[in-house]
């Protein structure tokens, strides 16, 4: 399912570039740093079986992915929220691994394209 989703919504990226202009690169760096922080939070909360912390981290990450037009990451964050609501450690571990892969896949697209 995630392989079929576009990593980035080009319309959102164009809008952000137009809106942010010279600050667009700073926005990208902030998003990438936030991505690293959220992934750490997700893994830490998974290790502790802290389902509410896991859900909150996934929810916050989903919002920043939506704002950046990171479609596949956003969809995976929804799955992470569901795993947390069900307190499902297997699903949560799988979606964490998926988020890791998707975040690595999107990085060069953001850094090289703009």
């Amino acid at each position: 399912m995630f392989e079929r989703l576009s990593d980035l919504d080009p319309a959102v990226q164009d809008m952000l570039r137009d809106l942010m202009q010279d600050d667009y690169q700073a926005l990208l760096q902030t998003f990438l740093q936030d991505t690293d922080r959220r992934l750490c939070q997700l893994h830490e909360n998974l290790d502790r079986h802290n389902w509410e912390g896991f859900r909150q981290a996934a929810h916050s990450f989903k919002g920043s992915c939506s704002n950046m037009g990171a479609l596949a990451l956003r969809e995976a964050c929804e799955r992470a929220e569901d795993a947390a609501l069900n307190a499902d450690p297997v699903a949560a571990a799988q979606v964490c691994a998926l988020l890791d892969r998707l975040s690595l896949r999107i990085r060069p697209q953001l850094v090289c394209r703009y």
Side-chain angles (χ1 to χ4, degrees):
M1 169 158 97
F2 297 96
E3 298 304 318
R4 286 183 254 142
L5 280 176
S6 295
D7 288 331
L8 293 171
D9 181 336
V12 172
Q13 291 297 305
D14 290 343
M15 184 266 311
L16 288 171
R17 263 196 323 278
D18 289 345
L19 181 67
M20 299 297 293
Q21 296 181 358
D22 293 339
D23 293 327
Y24 181 73
Q25 288 299 321
L27 176 69
L28 289 180
Q29 289 300 32
T30 300
F31 174 72
L32 293 173
Q33 290 169 351
D34 183 64
T35 295
D36 292 340
R37 188 169 54 90
R38 298 291 179 199
L39 289 171
C40 283
Q41 289 173 342
L42 286 164
H43 284 283
E44 288 171 1
N45 285 306
L46 174 61
D47 290 345
R48 294 185 180 117
H49 291 230
N50 177 355
W51 300 118
E52 181 55 21
F54 189 88
R55 188 200 63 75
Q56 287 177 1
H59 184 76
S60 295
F61 192 19
K62 180 177 75 174
S64 65
C65 291
S66 291
N67 292 339
M68 286 300 293
L71 303 175
L73 274 172
R74 185 203 172 285
E75 195 71 26
C77 288
E78 275 192 27
R79 275 185 49 190
E81 284 183 289
D82 290 342
L85 289 173
N86 294 317
D88 184 342
V90 172
Q94 290 172 342
V95 79
C96 271
L98 175 63
L99 285 164
D100 289 340
R101 286 191 309 273
L102 291 173
S103 69
L104 287 174
R105 190 171 83 185
I106 200 171
R107 271 179 199 280
Q109 295 175 56
L110 288 170
V111 174
C112 296
R113 187 172 175 195
Y114 307 103

